[in-house]
Amino acid sequence: MAKTSMASSFAAVLLDESSSVALYRQLYDRLREAILIGQLPPGTHLPSTREMATELKVSRHTVFNAFELLQAEGYVEGQIGSGTFVARTLPEELLQARAGSQNISLVNPEARPVSQRGKIITRTQIIERTGLPIPFMQGVPALDEFPIATWSRLVAKHWRQSPQELLNYGRADGYAPLREAIAAYLGPSRGVQCNSDQIIVVSGAQQAIDLAARILIDDGDPLLVEEFCYGAARAALLSAGARLVPVPVDEAGLNISVVADSTSARLAYVTPSHQYPLGVTMSTSRRQALLDWANRARAWILEDDYDSEYRYTERPLPALQGMDRNGRVIYIGTFSKVLFPALRLGFIVTPRDLVDAFVTARATLGWCSPTLDQAVLADFITQGHFIRHIRRMRTIYAERQAVLIDALEHEAGDLLEIKPADAGIHVTCSLSNRIDDRAVSREAAELGVVAQPLSAFRVDESVAVRSGLILGYGAYNIRQIKEAARKLGTALKDVSRVARTSANRRRASQ
Ligand SMILES: Cc1ncc(COP(=O)(O)O)c(C=O)c1O
């Protein structure tokens, strides 16, 4: 039987009593490995032999022997028994191992194997958006405008009054009053047709995408995505084993007719209200064509409606889910953009025959979302704060977007094309393909501005490059937007100048 422990919280140690390898030797191997990979840095004070023996439920003698061997080889120094430290001067082998990660795997290739899926997950790139948002980091709402006083009053009320059952594990499908509040909001505002028992509360849209992929996708299944596509969704779909099939997006949104007759895909992931990242809205006829395809192909549509609460032009088109007569659409909503992302609350509206599968899968992914947060959010919605917040923010965001567009046109209007976005909290501007958007992004970063390159969202690397920048404006005040636009203008001019010079040189040398 294996014994596990966090020996004084710095070395996860796993010893196998049934192994033919002596326990002291196993302990030596584990500690040596922890030292080699830097988990136990030089100078770390190891627990006493008595403490470690108690922790691991082995004899003190076992620990003593392991320490003695480590000391003989120069990995630890000091007084065994009371004051043992990881050596400050490392043996040559250790220095070599530190020099490159390839060497680390030579230490014990079997020590940390990950699955094929684990390897796919390890390869995915995650873009961090932590801390205070930096202009024009996208996907972040105006954190400074969130009604904290109202929220904290509701939090205090719930902590004061909550019955004990709210402290127990919650329901996997979510806190009932919240699901009812969401259902009541979705009908009139998004045209979604559902009852509260079709709603499952999750930790944001990301978890919803992950859940849907786990439930509906087998390894190697083709899955339709928009070209270009939201990176974190792509990562979750790939991690579930899907083979992504990009479908072109134009001014009317995803064009299913390009692949409809040739694909055997059973799932399509789409952002019809506000295509991410291009920003277009899917037309009614394209929506109908997509639904017709799904119905014919007996496929599912995963509708990610991540930021459509903010719409600046005509009345919002109803969600695909509301047009669906055959129960083919799984609708995803999130409170990350409309309230704040750290809340980690979103929801899925599933067709009735999928409810059980989603609820069970939600339970396997950590049971439920925090019940007290759900209770606070339910009150926030039913007491009218939610709608008031949306109305107020729509005016603020419309102004921020207009200021960003004006400022960029003023700073670098000849180098980019920027059209107002109908919805959401980001705009996507196009650059001439002569200008490498990744170079602009790098240059902007040097000046302290985040400008994500559109080309990073391409699914099919063989598709023609389309140069552009995705700029979030929701989280920044007017002064920040103008200042960052000026810096971005400088970055654009610099990169364009370099591109022009090298093009001239090429022409001259031909
Ligand atoms: C297209 C898209 N979907 C979903 C999300 C939201 O994810 P979550 O609800 O997990 O914060 C984002 C956030 O950036 C997004 O851009």
Side-chain angles (χ1 to χ4, degrees), residues 290-331:
L290 184 60
L291 288 168
D292 291 346
W293 163 77
N295 200 26
R296 272 197 320 276
R298 302 175 64 74
W300 304 105
I301 299 171
L302 196 53
E303 176 178 20
D304 181 358
D305 203 12
Y306 64 105
D307 71 356
S308 63
E309 290 82 5
Y310 297 121
R311 193 141 196 108
Y312 309 110
T313 51
E314 76 281 7
R315 263 181 71 77
L317 286 175
L320 261 182
Q321 197 273 3
M323 295 172 66
D324 175 23
R325 299 286 162 267
N326 301 289
R328 290 276 143 211
V329 177
I330 298 146
Y331 176 91

mmCIF file of all heavy atoms in Angstrom, residues 290-331:
data_model
loop_
_atom_site.group_PDB
_atom_site.id
_atom_site.type_symbol
_atom_site.label_atom_id
_atom_site.label_comp_id
_atom_site.label_asym_id
_atom_site.label_seq_id
_atom_site.Cartn_x
_atom_site.Cartn_y
_atom_site.Cartn_z
ATOM 1 N N LEU A 290 -27.510 27.237 -40.035
ATOM 2 C CA LEU A 290 -26.753 26.448 -39.049
ATOM 3 C C LEU A 290 -27.689 25.480 -38.308
ATOM 4 O O LEU A 290 -27.371 24.298 -38.109
ATOM 5 C CB LEU A 290 -26.056 27.401 -38.073
ATOM 6 C CG LEU A 290 -25.147 26.779 -37.029
ATOM 7 C CD1 LEU A 290 -24.003 26.000 -37.670
ATOM 8 C CD2 LEU A 290 -24.566 27.852 -36.092
ATOM 9 N N LEU A 291 -28.857 25.998 -37.923
ATOM 10 C CA LEU A 291 -29.822 25.134 -37.227
ATOM 11 C C LEU A 291 -30.300 24.008 -38.143
ATOM 12 O O LEU A 291 -30.434 22.855 -37.708
ATOM 13 C CB LEU A 291 -31.029 25.969 -36.761
ATOM 14 C CG LEU A 291 -30.749 26.914 -35.588
ATOM 15 C CD1 LEU A 291 -31.910 27.899 -35.400
ATOM 16 C CD2 LEU A 291 -30.537 26.120 -34.299
ATOM 17 N N ASP A 292 -30.507 24.331 -39.424
ATOM 18 C CA ASP A 292 -30.958 23.294 -40.371
ATOM 19 C C ASP A 292 -29.896 22.201 -40.500
ATOM 20 O O ASP A 292 -30.201 21.014 -40.524
ATOM 21 C CB ASP A 292 -31.233 23.901 -41.762
ATOM 22 C CG ASP A 292 -32.460 24.795 -41.735
ATOM 23 O OD1 ASP A 292 -33.223 24.719 -40.745
ATOM 24 O OD2 ASP A 292 -32.641 25.580 -42.684
ATOM 25 N N TRP A 293 -28.646 22.643 -40.597
ATOM 26 C CA TRP A 293 -27.552 21.657 -40.689
ATOM 27 C C TRP A 293 -27.544 20.746 -39.463
ATOM 28 O O TRP A 293 -27.468 19.515 -39.573
ATOM 29 C CB TRP A 293 -26.198 22.374 -40.813
ATOM 30 C CG TRP A 293 -25.057 21.446 -40.496
ATOM 31 C CD1 TRP A 293 -24.538 20.481 -41.294
ATOM 32 C CD2 TRP A 293 -24.346 21.345 -39.241
ATOM 33 N NE1 TRP A 293 -23.547 19.779 -40.636
ATOM 34 C CE2 TRP A 293 -23.410 20.297 -39.376
ATOM 35 C CE3 TRP A 293 -24.414 22.043 -38.032
ATOM 36 C CZ2 TRP A 293 -22.546 19.934 -38.343
ATOM 37 C CZ3 TRP A 293 -23.553 21.679 -37.000
ATOM 38 C CH2 TRP A 293 -22.635 20.639 -37.162
ATOM 39 N N ALA A 294 -27.637 21.378 -38.271
ATOM 40 C CA ALA A 294 -27.570 20.595 -37.028
ATOM 41 C C ALA A 294 -28.703 19.577 -36.984
ATOM 42 O O ALA A 294 -28.519 18.429 -36.568
ATOM 43 C CB ALA A 294 -27.634 21.521 -35.818
ATOM 44 N N ASN A 295 -29.852 19.995 -37.447
ATOM 45 C CA ASN A 295 -31.001 19.108 -37.415
ATOM 46 C C ASN A 295 -30.814 17.935 -38.381
ATOM 47 O O ASN A 295 -31.059 16.788 -38.028
ATOM 48 C CB ASN A 295 -32.253 19.923 -37.768
ATOM 49 C CG ASN A 295 -33.491 19.223 -37.292
ATOM 50 O OD1 ASN A 295 -33.438 18.445 -36.325
ATOM 51 N ND2 ASN A 295 -34.595 19.447 -37.984
ATOM 52 N N ARG A 296 -30.345 18.267 -39.594
ATOM 53 C CA ARG A 296 -30.108 17.204 -40.596
ATOM 54 C C ARG A 296 -29.021 16.245 -40.120
ATOM 55 O O ARG A 296 -29.133 15.032 -40.236
ATOM 56 C CB ARG A 296 -29.628 17.842 -41.915
ATOM 57 C CG ARG A 296 -30.728 18.256 -42.864
ATOM 58 C CD ARG A 296 -30.187 18.485 -44.266
ATOM 59 N NE ARG A 296 -28.909 19.146 -44.389
ATOM 60 C CZ ARG A 296 -28.717 20.455 -44.381
ATOM 61 N NH1 ARG A 296 -29.753 21.279 -44.244
ATOM 62 N NH2 ARG A 296 -27.516 20.971 -44.523
ATOM 63 N N ALA A 297 -27.940 16.819 -39.580
ATOM 64 C CA ALA A 297 -26.763 16.012 -39.223
ATOM 65 C C ALA A 297 -26.885 15.409 -37.828
ATOM 66 O O ALA A 297 -25.977 14.715 -37.374
ATOM 67 C CB ALA A 297 -25.502 16.883 -39.289
ATOM 68 N N ARG A 298 -27.980 15.691 -37.134
ATOM 69 C CA ARG A 298 -28.165 15.277 -35.738
ATOM 70 C C ARG A 298 -26.944 15.702 -34.909
ATOM 71 O O ARG A 298 -26.389 14.943 -34.123
ATOM 72 C CB ARG A 298 -28.381 13.760 -35.641
ATOM 73 C CG ARG A 298 -29.597 13.306 -36.459
ATOM 74 C CD ARG A 298 -29.740 11.802 -36.467
ATOM 75 N NE ARG A 298 -29.996 11.254 -35.140
ATOM 76 C CZ ARG A 298 -31.165 11.345 -34.508
ATOM 77 N NH1 ARG A 298 -32.165 11.993 -35.053
ATOM 78 N NH2 ARG A 298 -31.313 10.799 -33.334
ATOM 79 N N ALA A 299 -26.555 16.936 -35.153
ATOM 80 C CA ALA A 299 -25.378 17.491 -34.453
ATOM 81 C C ALA A 299 -25.842 18.483 -33.384
ATOM 82 O O ALA A 299 -26.992 18.920 -33.379
ATOM 83 C CB ALA A 299 -24.474 18.184 -35.467
ATOM 84 N N TRP A 300 -24.926 18.833 -32.485
ATOM 85 C CA TRP A 300 -25.205 19.818 -31.439
ATOM 86 C C TRP A 300 -24.542 21.142 -31.782
ATOM 87 O O TRP A 300 -23.483 21.161 -32.420
ATOM 88 C CB TRP A 300 -24.662 19.347 -30.091
ATOM 89 C CG TRP A 300 -25.166 18.020 -29.653
ATOM 90 C CD1 TRP A 300 -24.479 16.841 -29.675
ATOM 91 C CD2 TRP A 300 -26.452 17.712 -29.127
ATOM 92 N NE1 TRP A 300 -25.252 15.824 -29.190
ATOM 93 C CE2 TRP A 300 -26.480 16.334 -28.847
ATOM 94 C CE3 TRP A 300 -27.596 18.473 -28.865
ATOM 95 C CZ2 TRP A 300 -27.585 15.695 -28.320
ATOM 96 C CZ3 TRP A 300 -28.701 17.836 -28.338
ATOM 97 C CH2 TRP A 300 -28.694 16.467 -28.071
ATOM 98 N N ILE A 301 -25.169 22.210 -31.329
ATOM 99 C CA ILE A 301 -24.536 23.533 -31.475
ATOM 100 C C ILE A 301 -24.264 24.061 -30.069
ATOM 101 O O ILE A 301 -25.171 24.103 -29.230
ATOM 102 C CB ILE A 301 -25.466 24.516 -32.219
ATOM 103 C CG1 ILE A 301 -25.756 23.993 -33.629
ATOM 104 C CG2 ILE A 301 -24.837 25.906 -32.287
ATOM 105 C CD1 ILE A 301 -26.836 24.783 -34.350
ATOM 106 N N LEU A 302 -23.019 24.455 -29.843
ATOM 107 C CA LEU A 302 -22.644 25.038 -28.554
ATOM 108 C C LEU A 302 -22.603 26.554 -28.759
ATOM 109 O O LEU A 302 -21.704 27.068 -29.422
ATOM 110 C CB LEU A 302 -21.259 24.486 -28.185
ATOM 111 C CG LEU A 302 -20.794 24.634 -26.761
ATOM 112 C CD1 LEU A 302 -21.824 24.092 -25.784
ATOM 113 C CD2 LEU A 302 -19.471 23.880 -26.582
ATOM 114 N N GLU A 303 -23.600 27.235 -28.220
ATOM 115 C CA GLU A 303 -23.725 28.683 -28.451
ATOM 116 C C GLU A 303 -23.123 29.434 -27.268
ATOM 117 O O GLU A 303 -23.689 29.421 -26.175
ATOM 118 C CB GLU A 303 -25.212 29.051 -28.608
ATOM 119 C CG GLU A 303 -25.419 30.541 -28.763
ATOM 120 C CD GLU A 303 -26.881 30.930 -28.968
ATOM 121 O OE1 GLU A 303 -27.785 30.130 -28.624
ATOM 122 O OE2 GLU A 303 -27.117 32.041 -29.489
ATOM 123 N N ASP A 304 -21.997 30.075 -27.486
ATOM 124 C CA ASP A 304 -21.310 30.820 -26.422
ATOM 125 C C ASP A 304 -21.749 32.286 -26.516
ATOM 126 O O ASP A 304 -21.318 33.021 -27.398
ATOM 127 C CB ASP A 304 -19.789 30.670 -26.612
ATOM 128 C CG ASP A 304 -18.988 31.395 -25.541
ATOM 129 O OD1 ASP A 304 -19.595 32.055 -24.670
ATOM 130 O OD2 ASP A 304 -17.740 31.297 -25.575
ATOM 131 N N ASP A 305 -22.622 32.687 -25.587
ATOM 132 C CA ASP A 305 -23.196 34.040 -25.617
ATOM 133 C C ASP A 305 -22.510 34.867 -24.526
ATOM 134 O O ASP A 305 -23.135 35.283 -23.569
ATOM 135 C CB ASP A 305 -24.703 33.928 -25.365
ATOM 136 C CG ASP A 305 -25.461 35.131 -25.903
ATOM 137 O OD1 ASP A 305 -24.869 35.931 -26.650
ATOM 138 O OD2 ASP A 305 -26.641 35.263 -25.569
ATOM 139 N N TYR A 306 -21.205 35.059 -24.684
ATOM 140 C CA TYR A 306 -20.379 35.524 -23.567
ATOM 141 C C TYR A 306 -20.528 37.000 -23.208
ATOM 142 O O TYR A 306 -20.289 37.372 -22.077
ATOM 143 C CB TYR A 306 -18.904 35.210 -23.863
ATOM 144 C CG TYR A 306 -18.389 35.953 -25.074
ATOM 145 C CD1 TYR A 306 -17.541 37.042 -24.945
ATOM 146 C CD2 TYR A 306 -18.778 35.573 -26.347
ATOM 147 C CE1 TYR A 306 -17.098 37.731 -26.043
ATOM 148 C CE2 TYR A 306 -18.331 36.272 -27.460
ATOM 149 C CZ TYR A 306 -17.504 37.347 -27.293
ATOM 150 O OH TYR A 306 -17.078 38.041 -28.382
ATOM 151 N N ASP A 307 -20.901 37.866 -24.181
ATOM 152 C CA ASP A 307 -20.953 39.291 -23.802
ATOM 153 C C ASP A 307 -22.073 40.075 -24.479
ATOM 154 O O ASP A 307 -21.970 41.279 -24.637
ATOM 155 C CB ASP A 307 -19.597 39.964 -24.069
ATOM 156 C CG ASP A 307 -19.312 40.143 -25.553
ATOM 157 O OD1 ASP A 307 -20.123 39.678 -26.380
ATOM 158 O OD2 ASP A 307 -18.290 40.760 -25.891
ATOM 159 N N SER A 308 -23.171 39.362 -24.832
ATOM 160 C CA SER A 308 -24.175 40.049 -25.643
ATOM 161 C C SER A 308 -25.083 40.981 -24.844
ATOM 162 O O SER A 308 -25.940 41.650 -25.412
ATOM 163 C CB SER A 308 -25.015 39.013 -26.383
ATOM 164 O OG SER A 308 -25.682 38.249 -25.422
ATOM 165 N N GLU A 309 -24.909 41.036 -23.520
ATOM 166 C CA GLU A 309 -25.723 41.992 -22.747
ATOM 167 C C GLU A 309 -25.463 43.419 -23.215
ATOM 168 O O GLU A 309 -26.315 44.282 -23.120
ATOM 169 C CB GLU A 309 -25.384 41.923 -21.251
ATOM 170 C CG GLU A 309 -25.824 40.656 -20.567
ATOM 171 C CD GLU A 309 -24.834 39.518 -20.773
ATOM 172 O OE1 GLU A 309 -23.765 39.760 -21.375
ATOM 173 O OE2 GLU A 309 -25.147 38.397 -20.348
ATOM 174 N N TYR A 310 -24.245 43.635 -23.724
ATOM 175 C CA TYR A 310 -23.902 44.985 -24.150
ATOM 176 C C TYR A 310 -24.044 45.090 -25.653
ATOM 177 O O TYR A 310 -23.250 44.551 -26.408
ATOM 178 C CB TYR A 310 -22.471 45.323 -23.704
ATOM 179 C CG TYR A 310 -22.387 45.307 -22.209
ATOM 180 C CD1 TYR A 310 -21.525 44.467 -21.530
ATOM 181 C CD2 TYR A 310 -23.246 46.108 -21.456
ATOM 182 C CE1 TYR A 310 -21.498 44.426 -20.156
ATOM 183 C CE2 TYR A 310 -23.232 46.070 -20.078
ATOM 184 C CZ TYR A 310 -22.353 45.239 -19.433
ATOM 185 O OH TYR A 310 -22.355 45.203 -18.069
ATOM 186 N N ARG A 311 -25.104 45.744 -26.073
ATOM 187 C CA ARG A 311 -25.350 45.909 -27.498
ATOM 188 C C ARG A 311 -25.609 47.388 -27.714
ATOM 189 O O ARG A 311 -26.325 48.019 -26.951
ATOM 190 C CB ARG A 311 -26.561 45.064 -27.884
ATOM 191 C CG ARG A 311 -26.679 44.931 -29.324
ATOM 192 C CD ARG A 311 -27.111 43.620 -29.891
ATOM 193 N NE ARG A 311 -26.766 43.698 -31.295
ATOM 194 C CZ ARG A 311 -25.787 43.038 -31.844
ATOM 195 N NH1 ARG A 311 -25.094 42.187 -31.161
ATOM 196 N NH2 ARG A 311 -25.506 43.224 -33.111
ATOM 197 N N TYR A 312 -25.002 47.948 -28.757
ATOM 198 C CA TYR A 312 -25.030 49.405 -28.897
ATOM 199 C C TYR A 312 -25.879 49.885 -30.061
ATOM 200 O O TYR A 312 -26.098 51.068 -30.225
ATOM 201 C CB TYR A 312 -23.595 49.933 -29.048
ATOM 202 C CG TYR A 312 -22.698 49.403 -27.965
ATOM 203 C CD1 TYR A 312 -21.697 48.483 -28.243
ATOM 204 C CD2 TYR A 312 -22.899 49.774 -26.640
ATOM 205 C CE1 TYR A 312 -20.901 47.957 -27.236
ATOM 206 C CE2 TYR A 312 -22.113 49.255 -25.623
ATOM 207 C CZ TYR A 312 -21.120 48.343 -25.929
ATOM 208 O OH TYR A 312 -20.356 47.828 -24.935
ATOM 209 N N THR A 313 -26.292 48.965 -30.925
ATOM 210 C CA THR A 313 -27.051 49.426 -32.088
ATOM 211 C C THR A 313 -28.510 48.989 -31.981
ATOM 212 O O THR A 313 -29.172 49.263 -31.002
ATOM 213 C CB THR A 313 -26.405 48.896 -33.385
ATOM 214 O OG1 THR A 313 -26.223 47.490 -33.230
ATOM 215 C CG2 THR A 313 -25.088 49.577 -33.662
ATOM 216 N N GLU A 314 -28.957 48.248 -32.974
ATOM 217 C CA GLU A 314 -30.372 47.876 -32.988
ATOM 218 C C GLU A 314 -30.668 46.863 -31.874
ATOM 219 O O GLU A 314 -29.765 46.445 -31.173
ATOM 220 C CB GLU A 314 -30.759 47.332 -34.370
ATOM 221 C CG GLU A 314 -30.287 45.928 -34.654
ATOM 222 C CD GLU A 314 -28.816 45.791 -35.055
ATOM 223 O OE1 GLU A 314 -28.067 46.792 -34.991
ATOM 224 O OE2 GLU A 314 -28.409 44.685 -35.392
ATOM 225 N N ARG A 315 -31.914 46.479 -31.753
ATOM 226 C CA ARG A 315 -32.285 45.478 -30.733
ATOM 227 C C ARG A 315 -31.501 44.191 -30.967
ATOM 228 O O ARG A 315 -31.331 43.776 -32.112
ATOM 229 C CB ARG A 315 -33.777 45.175 -30.844
ATOM 230 C CG ARG A 315 -34.626 45.962 -29.858
ATOM 231 C CD ARG A 315 -36.081 45.572 -30.039
ATOM 232 N NE ARG A 315 -36.327 44.200 -29.558
ATOM 233 C CZ ARG A 315 -36.430 43.875 -28.270
ATOM 234 N NH1 ARG A 315 -36.286 44.797 -27.346
ATOM 235 N NH2 ARG A 315 -36.666 42.636 -27.921
ATOM 236 N N PRO A 316 -31.039 43.555 -29.913
ATOM 237 C CA PRO A 316 -30.260 42.326 -30.112
ATOM 238 C C PRO A 316 -31.066 41.247 -30.831
ATOM 239 O O PRO A 316 -32.276 41.147 -30.629
ATOM 240 C CB PRO A 316 -29.942 41.873 -28.699
ATOM 241 C CG PRO A 316 -30.656 42.773 -27.771
ATOM 242 C CD PRO A 316 -31.213 43.916 -28.527
ATOM 243 N N LEU A 317 -30.389 40.477 -31.683
ATOM 244 C CA LEU A 317 -31.059 39.321 -32.281
ATOM 245 C C LEU A 317 -31.246 38.283 -31.180
ATOM 246 O O LEU A 317 -30.393 38.149 -30.311
ATOM 247 C CB LEU A 317 -30.169 38.710 -33.366
ATOM 248 C CG LEU A 317 -30.056 39.480 -34.671
ATOM 249 C CD1 LEU A 317 -29.041 38.810 -35.586
ATOM 250 C CD2 LEU A 317 -31.413 39.537 -35.352
ATOM 251 N N PRO A 318 -32.356 37.574 -31.214
ATOM 252 C CA PRO A 318 -32.525 36.548 -30.180
ATOM 253 C C PRO A 318 -31.450 35.479 -30.310
ATOM 254 O O PRO A 318 -30.894 35.270 -31.390
ATOM 255 C CB PRO A 318 -33.910 35.964 -30.472
ATOM 256 C CG PRO A 318 -34.231 36.363 -31.862
ATOM 257 C CD PRO A 318 -33.454 37.605 -32.167
ATOM 258 N N ALA A 319 -31.166 34.814 -29.216
ATOM 259 C CA ALA A 319 -30.158 33.754 -29.242
ATOM 260 C C ALA A 319 -30.586 32.646 -30.203
ATOM 261 O O ALA A 319 -31.787 32.451 -30.446
ATOM 262 C CB ALA A 319 -30.003 33.186 -27.840
ATOM 263 N N LEU A 320 -29.586 31.932 -30.731
ATOM 264 C CA LEU A 320 -29.868 30.762 -31.579
ATOM 265 C C LEU A 320 -30.810 29.807 -30.847
ATOM 266 O O LEU A 320 -31.701 29.229 -31.443
ATOM 267 C CB LEU A 320 -28.567 29.990 -31.801
ATOM 268 C CG LEU A 320 -27.768 30.145 -33.068
ATOM 269 C CD1 LEU A 320 -26.569 29.220 -32.992
ATOM 270 C CD2 LEU A 320 -28.615 29.800 -34.272
ATOM 271 N N GLN A 321 -30.546 29.654 -29.555
ATOM 272 C CA GLN A 321 -31.327 28.709 -28.751
ATOM 273 C C GLN A 321 -32.818 28.988 -28.891
ATOM 274 O O GLN A 321 -33.622 28.069 -28.956
ATOM 275 C CB GLN A 321 -30.883 28.803 -27.278
ATOM 276 C CG GLN A 321 -31.291 27.654 -26.410
ATOM 277 C CD GLN A 321 -32.701 27.846 -25.796
ATOM 278 O OE1 GLN A 321 -33.392 28.823 -26.080
ATOM 279 N NE2 GLN A 321 -33.112 26.906 -24.974
ATOM 280 N N GLY A 322 -33.181 30.288 -28.972
ATOM 281 C CA GLY A 322 -34.586 30.665 -29.049
ATOM 282 C C GLY A 322 -35.209 30.353 -30.402
ATOM 283 O O GLY A 322 -36.430 30.288 -30.537
ATOM 284 N N MET A 323 -34.361 30.183 -31.438
ATOM 285 C CA MET A 323 -34.884 29.872 -32.777
ATOM 286 C C MET A 323 -34.945 28.360 -33.014
ATOM 287 O O MET A 323 -35.465 27.904 -34.019
ATOM 288 C CB MET A 323 -33.940 30.465 -33.849
ATOM 289 C CG MET A 323 -33.870 31.976 -33.857
ATOM 290 S SD MET A 323 -32.545 32.512 -34.997
ATOM 291 C CE MET A 323 -33.169 31.984 -36.586
ATOM 292 N N ASP A 324 -34.337 27.613 -32.098
ATOM 293 C CA ASP A 324 -34.164 26.176 -32.289
ATOM 294 C C ASP A 324 -35.463 25.442 -31.942
ATOM 295 O O ASP A 324 -35.961 25.567 -30.836
ATOM 296 C CB ASP A 324 -33.019 25.733 -31.350
ATOM 297 C CG ASP A 324 -32.796 24.241 -31.340
ATOM 298 O OD1 ASP A 324 -33.175 23.575 -32.309
ATOM 299 O OD2 ASP A 324 -32.211 23.755 -30.346
ATOM 300 N N ARG A 325 -35.988 24.695 -32.883
ATOM 301 C CA ARG A 325 -37.238 23.947 -32.616
ATOM 302 C C ARG A 325 -36.959 22.467 -32.363
ATOM 303 O O ARG A 325 -37.859 21.678 -32.170
ATOM 304 C CB ARG A 325 -38.198 24.060 -33.821
ATOM 305 C CG ARG A 325 -38.634 25.459 -34.142
ATOM 306 C CD ARG A 325 -39.672 25.977 -33.113
ATOM 307 N NE ARG A 325 -39.775 27.423 -33.165
ATOM 308 C CZ ARG A 325 -39.091 28.271 -32.398
ATOM 309 N NH1 ARG A 325 -38.266 27.822 -31.485
ATOM 310 N NH2 ARG A 325 -39.233 29.572 -32.504
ATOM 311 N N ASN A 326 -35.692 22.059 -32.442
ATOM 312 C CA ASN A 326 -35.399 20.621 -32.368
ATOM 313 C C ASN A 326 -34.473 20.227 -31.230
ATOM 314 O O ASN A 326 -33.909 19.132 -31.239
ATOM 315 C CB ASN A 326 -34.795 20.161 -33.701
ATOM 316 C CG ASN A 326 -35.751 20.421 -34.841
ATOM 317 O OD1 ASN A 326 -36.771 19.756 -34.953
ATOM 318 N ND2 ASN A 326 -35.455 21.416 -35.664
ATOM 319 N N GLY A 327 -34.281 21.129 -30.288
ATOM 320 C CA GLY A 327 -33.446 20.804 -29.126
ATOM 321 C C GLY A 327 -32.025 20.459 -29.504
ATOM 322 O O GLY A 327 -31.450 19.484 -29.010
ATOM 323 N N ARG A 328 -31.427 21.264 -30.384
ATOM 324 C CA ARG A 328 -30.068 20.992 -30.854
ATOM 325 C C ARG A 328 -29.042 21.947 -30.236
ATOM 326 O O ARG A 328 -27.848 21.771 -30.430
ATOM 327 C CB ARG A 328 -30.006 21.145 -32.387
ATOM 328 C CG ARG A 328 -30.737 20.045 -33.112
ATOM 329 C CD ARG A 328 -29.812 18.844 -33.248
ATOM 330 N NE ARG A 328 -30.509 17.588 -33.099
ATOM 331 C CZ ARG A 328 -29.965 16.493 -32.588
ATOM 332 N NH1 ARG A 328 -28.741 16.496 -32.158
ATOM 333 N NH2 ARG A 328 -30.649 15.383 -32.490
ATOM 334 N N VAL A 329 -29.522 23.008 -29.551
ATOM 335 C CA VAL A 329 -28.590 24.050 -29.084
ATOM 336 C C VAL A 329 -28.347 23.939 -27.579
ATOM 337 O O VAL A 329 -29.287 23.800 -26.801
ATOM 338 C CB VAL A 329 -29.137 25.460 -29.408
ATOM 339 C CG1 VAL A 329 -28.206 26.540 -28.854
ATOM 340 C CG2 VAL A 329 -29.302 25.644 -30.915
ATOM 341 N N ILE A 330 -27.075 24.002 -27.237
ATOM 342 C CA ILE A 330 -26.680 24.083 -25.827
ATOM 343 C C ILE A 330 -26.195 25.514 -25.644
ATOM 344 O O ILE A 330 -25.237 25.937 -26.301
ATOM 345 C CB ILE A 330 -25.553 23.086 -25.529
ATOM 346 C CG1 ILE A 330 -26.074 21.664 -25.784
ATOM 347 C CG2 ILE A 330 -25.033 23.243 -24.110
ATOM 348 C CD1 ILE A 330 -25.032 20.744 -26.315
ATOM 349 N N TYR A 331 -26.882 26.265 -24.804
ATOM 350 C CA TYR A 331 -26.602 27.698 -24.676
ATOM 351 C C TYR A 331 -25.721 27.949 -23.447
ATOM 352 O O TYR A 331 -25.963 27.388 -22.377
ATOM 353 C CB TYR A 331 -27.936 28.438 -24.535
ATOM 354 C CG TYR A 331 -27.827 29.927 -24.306
ATOM 355 C CD1 TYR A 331 -27.828 30.814 -25.366
ATOM 356 C CD2 TYR A 331 -27.738 30.434 -23.008
ATOM 357 C CE1 TYR A 331 -27.743 32.190 -25.145
ATOM 358 C CE2 TYR A 331 -27.644 31.809 -22.783
ATOM 359 C CZ TYR A 331 -27.654 32.663 -23.862
ATOM 360 O OH TYR A 331 -27.561 34.015 -23.649
#
